């Protein structure tokens, strides 16, 4: 099955994401309000592009992949408007929602979104599914358990976790849908496009996670070395 091949050929790229310091900081109680606000603000700036990216992908798929375009129609219905859930969570944290809505992401997310649009427009539109592989696969593994840990640590209301909690459960169904979809991909060029895109997204999304600020062991704040673009 292609999904098994995809998992094997992206294992090293996935390791970069899973070694982000924030993932160790959460169970150690070093994930704070600044950490969570930063994560949500970056999530907003890629989630708001999910539906436009799907539409761009669907518009460029060749006739031989009409079955994939049909699947995207269903996927778009499920994903529409989820960026507003993130803004609601930020509002529950007391964050400046308008500043996030009208701001720009840091470089890893800006580059991730730009790369995907370019890959769809100039390369193979099937590249879009590399993002699905990374983000929904990561969400299944991390969203719900990390959300519960963060809520407990920060003593925040449940309404500040609509994005994390919903995606932990929702993406279980989405990922099963995705697995069945990509297992139908037979052309080698299409498979290689998904593998390459997955590796790129693991790197860039992983860079964002590496940049999440967390409290150090001696009360110091630390984050990634990437420049923040306001």
């Amino acid at each position: 099955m292609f999904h098994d091949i995809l998992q094997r050929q992206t294992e090293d790229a996935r390791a970069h994401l899973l070694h982000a310091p924030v993932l160790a900081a959460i169970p150690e109680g070093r994930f704070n309000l600044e950490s969570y606000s930063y994560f949500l603000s970056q999530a907003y700036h890629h989630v708001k592009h999910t539906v436009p990216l799907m539409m761009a992908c669907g518009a460029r798929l060749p006739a031989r992949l009409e079955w994939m375009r049909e699947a995207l129609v269903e996927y778009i219905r499920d994903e529409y408007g989820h960026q507003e859930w993130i803004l609601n969570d930020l509002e529950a944290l007391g964050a400046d929602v308008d500043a996030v809505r009208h701001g720009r992401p840091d470089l890893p997310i800006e580059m991730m979104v730009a790369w995907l649009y370019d890959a769809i427009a100039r390369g193979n539109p099937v590249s879009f599914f590399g993002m699905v592989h990374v983000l929904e696969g990561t969400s299944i593994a991390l969203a719900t358990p990390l959300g519960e840990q963060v809520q407990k640590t920060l003593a925040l209301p449940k309404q500040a976790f609509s994005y994390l909690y919903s995606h932990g459960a929702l993406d279980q169904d989405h990922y099963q849908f995705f697995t069945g979809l990509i297992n139908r991909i037979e052309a080698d060029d299409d498979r290689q496009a998904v593998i390459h895109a997955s590796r790129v997204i693991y790197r860039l999304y992983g860079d964002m996670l590496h940049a999440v600020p967390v409290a150090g062991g001696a009360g110091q704040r630390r984050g990634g070395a990437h420049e923040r673009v306001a």
Side-chain angles (χ1 to χ4, degrees):
M1 292 291 187
F2 176 49
H3 181 261
D4 297 331
I5 296 170
L6 178 60
Q7 288 287 85
R8 289 195 301 271
Q9 295 198 14
T10 57
E11 185 175 1
D12 58 335
R14 185 162 54 252
H16 169 66
L17 183 153
L18 294 176
H19 289 149
V22 65
L23 300 183
I26 291 172
E28 293 172 1
R30 295 186 292 108
F31 187 91
N32 52 35
L33 191 61
E34 180 187 5
S35 311
Y36 189 40
S37 297
Y38 176 81
F39 170 79
L40 287 177
S41 70
Q42 299 305 300
Y44 171 77
H45 287 292
H46 70 77
V47 171
K48 72 180 182 180
H49 288 281
T50 301
V51 168
L53 283 165
M54 285 191 283
M55 296 173 81
C57 172
R60 291 185 174 273
L61 287 173
R64 64 182 174 82
L65 295 176
E66 186 62 33
W67 56 268
M68 188 177 286
R69 188 172 8 249
E70 181 182 7
L72 281 170
V73 173
E74 178 182 343
Y75 198 15
I76 286 170
R77 291 194 187 103
D78 283 348
E79 290 292 326
Y80 188 80
H82 288 192
Q83 71 272 15
E84 295 299 323
W85 298 358
I86 299 173
L87 294 181
N88 291 340
D89 290 347
L90 283 163
E91 187 174 27
L93 299 180
D96 186 341
V97 171
D98 285 339
V100 175
R101 186 191 297 274
H102 300 296
R104 296 176 67 179
D106 282 2
L107 194 56
I109 295 301
E110 187 164 23
M111 292 301 296
M112 185 180 89
V113 171
W115 187 90
L116 283 163
Y117 277 116
D118 185 69
I120 290 168
R122 294 197 308 119
N124 188 325
V126 178
S127 299
F128 167 77
F129 291 96
M131 183 186 80
V132 179
H133 172 63
V134 173
L135 297 188
E136 296 202 341
T138 301
S139 179
I140 289 170
L142 301 176
T144 299
L146 292 188
E148 290 171 350
Q149 181 68 46
V150 170
Q151 184 181 7
K152 180 180 178 181
T153 300
L154 300 182
L156 291 170
K158 189 173 182 179
Q159 59 262 37
F161 293 89
S162 59
Y163 173 67
L164 279 183
Y165 285 165
S166 65
H167 278 69
L170 184 63
D171 288 344
Q172 292 277 358
D173 292 336
H174 281 178
Y175 201 75
Q176 289 179 2
F177 175 76
F178 164 75
T179 301
L181 188 71
I182 64 163
N183 279 337
R184 294 181 63 184
I185 297 175
E186 297 178 351
D188 186 63
D189 285 350
D190 295 337
R191 289 186 169 195
Q192 291 305 315
V194 176
I195 291 168
H196 178 61
S198 296
R199 294 179 64 83
V200 171
I201 303 307
Y202 269 128
R203 178 69 199 194
L204 294 172
Y205 190 72
D207 284 352
M208 183 277 287
L209 291 181
H210 277 264
V212 174
V214 297
Q220 298 294 316
R221 296 285 188 269
R222 71 168 183 255
H226 300 285
E227 178 185 359
R228 296 193 178 180
V229 183

